[in-house]
Amino acid sequence: MNYPKITIITPSFNQGQFLEETIQSVLGQNYPNLEYIIMDGGSSDNSIEIIKKYEHGIAIWKSEKDKGQSDAINKGLRIATGEIVGWLNSDDLLSPGSLFELAKVFNDSRIQIIFSPINIINSDSKICGVSNRKVMDFNSMLFGSQVVNQEGIFWRREVNGRIGHINIGLHYAMDYDFFLRCCQAYKPTYVPYKFASHRKHSAQKTNSTDGYLKEMTELRMKYKKELGYGDLYFWINSLYQSRRRIVKVFGIKNFFRREWMDRKSPVS
């Protein structure tokens, strides 16, 4: 079996409570061609002590002041040398065997980006749910659900050469923006393997609903303007992408017809 180099990037700042378990979930894969990069934003808790404890298995780590999570991820992307890339936040976990499974998937040279379901865990690392988004394309992301299972998305490093890196001006919806751009250029492949777990806890940044919704709204309006979508077209497609929720609430079948979606997303 071919073992392509896989780069996992962990941005971290004062997450000592969860960081060790995150690191263990990566290094514990025992994958023979792993490049693990940790970019710490100058933590003042016990994060550095934890990182040093495992630095024998970490390819590169730095602790320095940065411009936030987006900046930390970009620093990792710029020095990454793996053929396959993904980022894992410092409170999330890789599932056992994930990197070997990734290697199998990406041995298909046609695959550029994959997305997958993820487990939802609590502060005690107990599974309390699953997020399984089975559609990931430009229209469904722009007009539909705001959920992005970032922990379960991996791509070939060459993708960054085409679409660029993370927008450091975004602090909440940076993953949504990045993967929306990915979907403009590529067709991601769904893989039904749970590669990772996303941790829900009271201190996480994504609990700032106002900040996330503000950036989401600004991004959607930006694309609406750039692509020349009129208000009616935008409204109809947003309603279409919400059809499953409408059907579930009202029990209506065949509420929409596929003709509304005949206009293709701008994939180059």
Side-chain angles (χ1 to χ4, degrees):
M1 178 180 171
N2 182 36
Y3 296 112
K5 181 183 282 190
I6 300 177
T7 298
I8 301 296
I9 300 164
T10 293
S12 180
F13 181 67
N14 287 338
Q15 287 276 16
Q17 179 182 359
F18 304 114
L19 180 59
E20 184 165 20
E21 190 176 6
T22 298
I23 294 174
Q24 289 174 343
S25 78
V26 177
L27 299 185
Q29 302 278 318
N30 293 317
Y31 184 74
N33 204 2
L34 168 67
E35 178 180 62
Y36 189 29
I37 299 173
I38 299 180
M39 289 294 168
D40 181 81
S43 293
S44 57
D45 63 358
N46 63 335
S47 293
I48 306 307
E49 179 183 344
I50 292 171
I51 293 171
K52 287 182 176 180
K53 179 179 177 181
Y54 295 94
E55 63 182 349
H56 61 280
I58 300 171
I60 302 170
W61 71 272
K62 294 182 180 180
S63 181
E64 59 188 16
K65 187 175 181 180
D66 55 36
K67 297 177 182 178
Q69 181 183 8
S70 300
D71 187 29
I73 296 168
N74 280 346
K75 287 181 177 181
L77 287 173
R78 291 190 184 102
I79 60 176
T81 62
E83 179 183 344
I84 303 161
V85 182
W87 90 74
L88 184 73
N89 292 326
S90 52
D91 49 1
D92 299 329
L93 304 175
L94 278 186
S95 303
S98 288
L99 298 188
F100 286 96
E101 192 66 29
L102 270 181
K104 292 179 186 177
V105 171
F106 278 96
N107 274 329
D108 185 339
S109 61
R110 297 169 297 178
I111 292 178
Q112 297 294 318
I113 304 171
I114 67 105
F115 66 105
S116 66
I118 58 171
N119 289 318
I120 307 299
I121 58 175
N122 60 20
S123 57
D124 296 320
S125 303
K126 302 296 183 183
I127 297 175
C128 53
V130 174
S131 178
N132 190 7
R133 181 190 179 112
K134 294 184 178 180
V135 177
M136 183 180 171
D137 57 37
F138 185 82
N139 279 329
S140 67
M141 289 192 66
L142 183 62
F143 300 112
S145 171
Q146 301 170 5
V147 176
V148 179
N149 290 341
Q150 164 266 312
E151 301 83 359
I153 303 177
F154 301 86
W155 61 96
R156 294 190 189 275
R157 185 163 51 91
E158 62 193 50
V159 168
N160 292 110
R162 183 172 180 180
I163 70 164
H165 294 119
I166 310 297
N167 183 345
I168 64 171
L170 298 173
H171 300 286
Y172 299 96
M174 77 288 283
D175 52 355
Y176 173 82
D177 173 68
F178 178 72
F179 294 120
L180 190 58
R181 285 187 279 129
C182 284
C183 288
Q184 282 187 288
Y186 299 94
K187 183 178 181 181
T189 300
Y190 175 75
V191 178
Y193 186 94
K194 298 183 185 72
F195 290 96
S197 296
H198 169 67
R199 192 187 301 274
K200 290 281 190 180
H201 59 94
S202 59
Q204 66 188 151
K205 187 173 66 174
T206 48
N207 284 330
S208 179
T209 305
D210 290 344
Y212 188 80
L213 290 179
K214 180 177 181 293
E215 290 187 353
M216 283 287 304
T217 300
E218 291 173 350
L219 285 168
R220 287 186 169 185
M221 292 303 101
K222 168 180 172 287
Y223 280 100
K224 176 183 174 183
K225 181 178 179 180
E226 288 181 356
L227 299 174
Y229 290 155
D231 290 339
L232 180 60
Y233 179 81
F234 202 86
W235 181 81
I236 288 175
N237 279 280
S238 296
L239 196 59
Y240 175 82
Q241 292 297 337
S242 301
R243 68 194 184 283
R244 291 183 180 86
R245 280 172 287 177
I246 293 173
V247 168
K248 184 176 181 180
V249 173
F250 295 102
I252 304 171
K253 294 184 177 180
N254 301 319
F255 191 76
F256 292 94
R257 295 179 61 83
R258 288 294 304 180
E259 283 79 359
W260 286 117
M261 298 302 294
D262 281 345
R263 180 174 178 179
K264 294 183 180 179
S265 61
V267 176
S268 55

